[in-house]
Amino acid sequence: MGLQRPSRITTLKWLGFVTAVWVQAFAGSNYAFSNYSDALKTLMNLTQVQLNSLSVAKDVGLAFGFLSGVASDRFPAWALLLTGSVEGLIGYGVQWLVVSETISPLPYWSTCVFLCMAGNSAAWLNTAILVTCVRNFKRNKGPTVGILRGYVGLTTAILTDLCKALFSDSSADFLLMLSITPFAACLPAMIFLREMPPLATGLEDQQEYKYLNIFNVFATVLAVYLLSYVFVGSQSRAFGVVFSVVLLVLLVLPLIIPAYIAIKSWIESPNPSDVKEQSLDPVLPDTQTKSEVVKSEPMAEAAAAAPKKQQPILGEDHTIIQAIKTLDFWVLFASFLCGIGPGMMVMNNMGQMGSALGFSNISIFESLFSIMGFFGRIISGTTSEYCIKKAGTPRPLFNAASQILLTVGFIMMAIDVPGCLYIGSILVGTCYGVCFAITLPTASELFGLKYYGLIYNVMMLNVSIGSLLFSGLLAGYLYDAQATATSSGRNECYGARCYRLCFFILACICLVGSILDILLAVRTNNLYRKNSLIKRSKSCR
């Protein structure tokens, strides 16, 4: 039976990865604020600054993600998933009660609290998924993070299209889906997602990379399917039901991989008689093991007596205190802020931007942003990993390229070129996805995996900071400065002037981010060349 254990572990690892994908597919609730923000604004009679402050409250919930980071080193993944799913069920459930007018609108401060709770739920889910999967697939971190964050990017498109197909694009029904679907997706993940032993051979590494590429194909098919629905739209009730069934089938399709691995291992498993013969002579391996332990004891004592290094070098495991003492951490932190902060502003203000430019239905732009964010994550994660293995290309260079492209996108939106909102949704969504898929594995490569849960959540503070600075303050105040009061008491602004100055400022910020990424690439060039040699040597075994 001992010979079958590696195959069983491999099957369970991939089954856990499939359940992780399901959780991520419904865990991007923070990106869906525009779908129900207008309903909250109308029911609570809010100004744009007040509405943007609600979006900041949602993102501030991620600032408390350090709690999940600390918990990830002390509790199993299922405990983090349970905490996050219950928290989301309550946070979004209360908002559903308000928007569906089941209860009266809550006081502004309590609405902020429940939004903060809903936002914090994503931190627990993402920490459990990313920390476990990055440790399980440590030789292929780029594609792993790209796939997982790609499915997060598809959350808005999945739920928007499902809501439109089944419930006619109702804000109340959308909030109900936000509260229930992550909880349901977490149930199988609580059972199957766990840390597994590392790979033993280069052949297993190559098989792992091949299976991850198949996941990329599954995810791409899903994204294209969602994109087609954006342009086709719901033709009838029956059409919507058929679309929803096919969508769920596409989400379940990755189960083919663990099923294939399980069937293959069963077919190739040795006969019971062979296993019995091989288990009759265990003396020599045991003897070798004992002698190795005896020899290693003096070495262990000598290592314990040796003075410990005060500060690990780049690429070794860092505690969060050791990490924040390095310049590289703050360069990575600042470049991450320059990338996701502008993306947060566009995502949280997509509804108001669409209204200002005369669009009555902005769901197409939200879906475009979501789907292009997926492609940005998938392509950059896989491409950067390939370039590291083949040429030792520093991963931050891909971030620098995306930030330059993002600068061009914001300038085009500022000067109001024809179709600028379509262009902005595509460019900003793509580059926003690249930023996540590149920065998160970069943090693990620079500061190690031992304390990755906490380091990841400290990096994710940028979501809250970026939302506050660029969405809550910059965009909110500049919008209200251009807006005029209406008869209903609301502040409204129409035309490209509403966000022109804001877009120019964001273009400058993205340019600064690209400079920081180039600096980080120069500083980490030797580390990535070393990693490239190690990965190539392991693949040849």
Side-chain angles (χ1 to χ4, degrees):
M1 296 296 291
L3 292 177
Q4 299 179 25
R5 188 169 179 269
S7 297
R8 179 174 177 272
I9 289 174
T10 302
T11 302
L12 289 175
K13 181 172 79 169
W14 284 104
L15 184 57
F17 188 71
V18 172
T19 62
V21 162
W22 292 343
V23 173
Q24 294 295 87
F26 296 104
S29 53
N30 272 29
Y31 304 145
F33 183 72
S34 293
N35 286 63
Y36 57 91
S37 60
D38 195 58
L40 288 175
K41 186 176 183 179
T42 302
L43 282 170
M44 300 180 67
N45 195 24
L46 304 176
T47 65
Q48 188 61 33
V49 170
Q50 289 174 319
L51 183 66
N52 283 3
S53 296
L54 286 183
S55 73
V56 171
K58 162 186 65 71
D59 296 324
V60 163
L62 292 175
F64 294 96
F66 71 91
L67 297 175
S68 62
V70 173
S72 68
D73 294 329
R74 293 168 172 79
F75 299 100
W78 68 263
L80 275 68
L81 291 171
L82 179 62
T83 303
S85 59
V86 171
E87 198 173 21
L89 187 65
I90 296 172
Y92 287 111
V94 170
Q95 294 176 69
W96 166 70
L97 292 174
V98 172
V99 173
S100 64
E101 300 187 42
T102 304
I103 61 175
S104 301
L106 300 174
Y108 186 80
W109 68 268
S110 59
T111 303
C112 290
V113 170
F114 283 109
L115 276 165
C116 183
M117 181 183 294
N120 184 246
S121 68
W124 289 87
L125 301 183
N126 291 334
T127 299
I129 297 299
L130 282 174
V131 170
T132 305
C133 290
V134 166
R135 288 172 178 170
N136 283 347
F137 300 90
K138 60 178 64 178
R139 293 188 188 175
N140 292 285
K141 291 189 286 289
T144 299
V145 174
I147 291 168
L148 293 174
R149 297 304 302 183
Y151 274 95
V152 170
L154 287 178
T155 298
T156 301
I158 291 172
L159 294 181
T160 299
D161 290 353
L162 279 176
C163 188
K164 188 183 298 184
L166 299 176
F167 307 114
S168 301
D169 210 13
S170 165
S171 296
D173 292 327
F174 185 83
L175 279 167
L176 182 61
M177 293 176 69
L178 280 183
S179 62
I180 293 176
T181 51
F183 183 85
C186 283
L187 295 179
M190 291 179 200
I191 300 173
F192 296 108
L193 184 65
R194 63 195 71 179
E195 287 190 34
M196 295 294 179
L199 297 177
T201 65
L203 178 61
E204 289 178 329
D205 184 17
Q206 293 174 2
Q207 290 177 335
E208 183 178 279
Y209 188 72
K210 178 183 71 175
Y211 291 140
L212 287 171
N213 284 335
I214 296 174
F215 264 92
N216 280 333
V217 173
F218 289 149
T220 302
V221 171
L222 175 62
V224 172
Y225 181 70
L226 291 168
L227 187 61
S228 66
Y229 186 78
V230 170
F231 294 103
V232 174
S234 181
Q235 305 298 318
S236 64
R237 175 73 175 178
F239 180 86
V241 171
V242 171
F243 164 81
S244 303
V245 171
V246 175
L247 176 57
L248 293 177
V249 170
L250 291 176
L251 286 171
V252 174
L253 196 60
L255 279 174
I256 291 175
I257 291 179
Y260 168 78
I261 295 172
I263 294 172
K264 182 181 178 182
S265 64
W266 178 74
I267 293 174
E268 297 176 352
S269 61
N271 294 325
S273 58
D274 296 335
V275 176
K276 185 176 180 180
E277 289 176 5
Q278 294 183 25
S279 63
L280 292 177
D281 191 20
V283 178
L284 184 58
D286 286 346
T287 304
Q288 290 177 335
T289 303
K290 289 177 182 178
S291 64
E292 288 173 0
V293 171
V294 172
K295 290 179 181 179
S296 65
E297 285 179 357
M299 296 175 64
E301 292 176 0
K308 295 184 179 179
K309 290 187 293 184
Q310 295 298 316
Q311 181 71 20
I313 63 174
L314 210 60
E316 295 180 347
D317 289 324
H318 289 63
T319 65
I320 187 59
I321 300 300
Q322 291 169 335
I324 63 177
K325 290 180 179 179
T326 65
L327 175 61
D328 301 286
F329 177 88
W330 291 110
V331 173
L332 182 64
F333 188 90
S335 71
F336 193 33
L337 176 61
C338 293
I340 67 169
M344 292 296 298
M345 176 268 160
V346 173
M347 184 170 55
N348 288 337
N349 290 271
M350 187 68 77
Q352 284 65 47
M353 289 164 57
S355 298
L357 294 176
F359 292 95
S360 58
N361 184 2
I362 49 90
S363 60
I364 184 173
F365 303 113
E366 294 166 347
S367 295
L368 276 175
F369 186 97
S370 176
I371 294 169
M372 297 313 298
F374 157 81
F375 282 115
R377 290 167 168 90
I378 289 289
I379 294 172
S380 63
T382 303
T383 304
S384 63
E385 193 73 27
Y386 176 82
C387 292
I388 290 172
K389 290 180 178 179
K390 293 298 181 181
T393 307
R395 207 184 293 269
L397 279 181
F398 294 88
N399 239 358
S402 73
Q403 297 245 42
I404 294 172
L405 185 61
L406 196 55
T407 301
V408 175
F410 278 121
I411 292 175
M412 294 175 70
M413 294 173 73
I415 62 179
D416 192 23
V417 299
C420 63
L421 201 54
Y422 289 95
I423 297 172
S425 300
I426 293 171
L427 289 181
V428 179
T430 302
C431 298
Y432 184 77
V434 171
C435 192
F436 274 102
I438 296 299
T439 303
L440 299 183
T442 298
S444 70
E445 289 159 348
L446 301 188
F447 308 112
L449 289 172
K450 186 175 182 179
Y451 305 102
Y452 181 63
L454 188 53
I455 291 173
Y456 158 76
N457 279 286
V458 172
M459 295 299 300
M460 290 300 289
L461 285 173
N462 278 305
V463 174
S464 304
I465 297 171
S467 180
L468 174 62
L469 294 179
F470 303 125
S471 182
L473 296 178
L474 180 66
Y477 281 108
L478 290 180
Y479 179 94
D480 278 345
Q482 298 289 337
T484 56
T486 63
S487 57
S488 62
R490 297 171 58 182
N491 288 340
E492 298 289 351
C493 181
Y494 299 99
R497 63 184 178 86
C498 303
Y499 288 98
R500 177 172 289 121
L501 179 58
C502 184
F503 288 147
F504 275 124
I505 295 173
L506 294 179
C508 295
I509 291 170
C510 292
L511 189 59
V512 171
S514 66
I515 295 172
L516 291 173
D517 284 314
I518 292 172
L519 171 63
L520 187 62
V522 172
R523 291 178 59 84
T524 58
N525 184 54
N526 290 335
L527 174 65
Y528 279 100
R529 289 190 179 277
K530 177 183 175 183
N531 289 345
S532 175
L533 293 174
I534 293 173
K535 290 183 178 184
R536 278 184 283 178
S537 64
K538 287 182 178 179
S539 64
C540 294
R541 291 178 185 176

